Amino acid sequence: MSASVSIRKRLASFTLDVDLQATSETVGLLGASGSGKSMTLRCIAGLERPDEGRIVVGGRTFFDSERGIDLSPQERKSALLFQNYQLFPSMTVAENIASGIDRAVTRDDRRQLIAGLLDTFHLRGLQDRYPAKLSGGQQQRVALARMLAARPPILMLDEPFTALDEHLKASFEQELLETFGRFEGTILYVSHDIDEAFRFCDRIAVINDGHVEDVGLPGRIVSHPQSLAALRLSGCKNISPATRLDEHWLFAESWGIRLRCDEPVPHGLTHVGIRAFFVSRAEQDTADNVFHAVAVRTSESRYERTVMLAVSDDTSRADSERYIHWKIDKLQPSPDGNVGPGDRVTIKLPGDRLHLVCGSAKESAPADA
């Protein structure tokens, strides 16, 4: 089973221009709010009509502007899980699940299918309840069961964890992974969370302003992001506009420092980034990429301490982009955990840990491995 999406749709803030190919796999659509992720799913499901292009799922043409094909949502039988689930409030759990089953299915097969889905999603005993009497996690499982009852050629989920409490996410995550493992078609998974996409998806497509800027294996998207959007969405906190100086040197404009990079600096360089946990205290101040810094402020989490550093004594400007995030592992004994505002430290930004991105997401993209 495969899916081919090549569409354009003019919107108020940008033009959605998506070209995406997928096989029997889970592809994550990763992007910020308003980037075009949900609109892409709605176009595939037939809830929105592209201005032009073509959508083919499982060998069946859903939409083709040149040939005048535009199947209705009912004809497409695609499955889209909304954030608010959209269960029928006047129907029981069993009736909601049954509403997704094709009318051609016999009564006995229908009963067996409903019973199987009740067991699969741990809904046995809840079949006679109405949505208002269900928890958020139970409602989500009913919605997913209804989707699978339709035996769709493509499964689409739009940020399915948004409405769940934190303690419900872990159990539902396992159920979702099991569901994905059984599904034989294409799965499109919308998220703005790189960790979530990393856990669920075989590949990740980074969407920014309606365009797919980067597609690759999750590990490659994190280790070698090919666009500024991919760099930001991969969780990198330290990002600065940058200028190429020569083959191995660049100037980080926000931080006001020169950096040496182990890999060749591309001519189209626009930004440099380094992850906060790769910043380290330097033992000497004569090596490349070593700087004197002052701690501006700190923040705490359960397992990490983040120190905001300025690489000059001027901390009067409240310009957070000038600061370098330094993450310290609180589980490892280290004197770095005592660094506080006003303290001076010598830090190193390793040249083999710098991320370099150009204006074009497609320049010099490494092959997935």
Side-chain angles (χ1 to χ4, degrees):
M1 196 74 73
S2 63
S4 175
V5 181
S6 182
I7 55 174
R8 286 175 57 87
K9 182 177 177 63
R10 286 176 289 278
L11 303 173
S13 55
F14 58 79
T15 295
L16 183 72
D17 190 354
V18 171
D19 192 349
L20 184 66
Q21 313 298 317
T23 58
S24 296
E25 59 181 333
T26 301
V27 178
L29 304 186
L30 186 68
S33 297
S35 60
K37 311 182 301 296
S38 298
M39 180 59 70
T40 299
L41 298 193
R42 292 179 65 84
C43 286
I44 296 171
L47 302 177
E48 298 282 348
R49 188 182 190 281
D51 295 324
E52 58 184 279
R54 193 165 182 257
I55 301 171
V56 180
V57 176
R60 189 181 186 204
T61 302
F62 283 6
F63 177 81
D64 190 322
S65 57
E66 291 188 357
R67 297 167 58 193
I69 299 174
D70 185 13
L71 301 186
S72 69
Q74 293 74 23
E75 292 173 313
R76 299 184 190 203
K77 295 183 180 180
S78 57
L80 173 55
L81 180 63
F82 293 94
Q83 295 176 15
N84 59 1
Y85 315 140
Q86 294 193 344
L87 299 177
F88 297 111
S90 60
M91 291 185 179
T92 64
V93 167
E95 290 169 342
N96 264 284
I97 295 174
S99 69
I101 302 175
D102 193 294
R103 293 180 179 179
V105 176
T106 66
R107 181 175 297 182
D108 287 343
D109 287 344
R110 180 183 296 263
R111 286 199 191 108
Q112 291 180 14
L113 181 55
I114 293 172
L117 289 168
L118 288 171
D119 288 335
T120 296
F121 291 99
H122 309 291
L123 295 167
R124 179 68 66 180
L126 303 176
Q127 61 266 25
D128 295 325
R129 290 193 187 180
Y130 290 92
K133 298 296 184 180
L134 301 176
S135 68
Q138 291 167 341
Q139 290 182 29
Q140 190 167 53
R141 294 203 298 272
V142 175
L144 193 56
R146 183 178 64 184
M147 289 171 58
L148 294 182
R151 296 173 177 168
I154 185 170
L155 189 62
M156 299 180 285
L157 298 94
D158 190 351
E159 302 203 45
F161 290 97
T162 300
L164 289 184
D165 294 333
E166 195 64 36
H167 71 280
L168 293 174
K169 291 182 179 180
S171 60
F172 185 67
E173 179 175 307
Q174 294 306 311
E175 293 174 4
L176 208 54
L177 285 169
E178 291 175 8
T179 301
F180 287 3
R182 291 191 297 266
F183 190 72
E184 297 180 355
T186 300
I187 301 172
L188 297 182
Y189 187 98
V190 161
S191 180
H192 63 270
D193 185 328
I194 181 64
D195 291 325
E196 191 177 290
F198 203 99
R199 289 193 297 271
F200 286 106
C201 303
D202 300 306
R203 289 191 300 142
I204 293 175
V206 176
I207 296 184
N208 183 52
D209 287 340
H211 297 267
V212 177
E213 291 196 350
D214 199 356
V215 181
L217 300 177
R220 205 276 292 156
I221 294 293
V222 171
S223 62
H224 290 89
Q226 296 298 301
S227 71
L228 180 57
L231 183 60
R232 286 173 173 158
L233 290 165
S234 70
C236 185
K237 300 299 184 184
N238 299 314
I239 302 175
S240 168
T243 303
R244 182 183 189 274
L245 299 178
D246 60 32
E247 186 176 4
H248 288 285
W249 284 90
L250 60 88
F251 180 71
E253 298 170 16
S254 293
W255 309 324
I257 56 177
R258 296 173 73 250
L259 292 169
R260 188 185 191 283
C261 184
D262 286 15
E263 66 179 272
V265 179
H267 285 278
L269 178 75
T270 59
H271 290 81
V272 61
I274 183 168
R275 303 192 186 279
F277 48 78
F278 288 141
V279 177
S280 62
R281 188 190 285 267
E283 297 181 358
Q284 56 180 338
D285 59 4
T286 57
D288 293 336
N289 299 2
V290 171
F291 308 96
H292 297 295
V294 59
V296 178
R297 60 177 179 269
T298 63
S299 62
E300 305 284 341
S301 66
R302 287 178 297 171
Y303 307 119
E304 297 173 337
R305 190 162 193 259
T306 301
V307 181
M308 301 288 282
L309 300 168
V311 290
S312 73
D313 292 334
D314 180 13
T315 60
S316 59
R317 286 186 0 185
D319 184 357
S320 60
E321 291 188 358
R322 294 182 57 245
Y323 302 146
I324 295 175
H325 294 68
W326 175 26
K327 278 193 176 180
I328 300 168
D329 186 352
K330 293 168 67 173
L331 300 180
Q332 299 295 326
S334 168
D336 295 337
N338 297 322
V339 174
D343 290 343
R344 299 177 183 277
V345 294
T346 302
I347 61 168
K348 181 177 179 63
L349 309 184
D352 62 343
R353 298 295 190 178
L354 299 177
H355 295 299
L356 311 180
V357 296
C358 300
S360 172
K362 298 181 180 179
E363 291 180 19
S364 306
D368 288 331

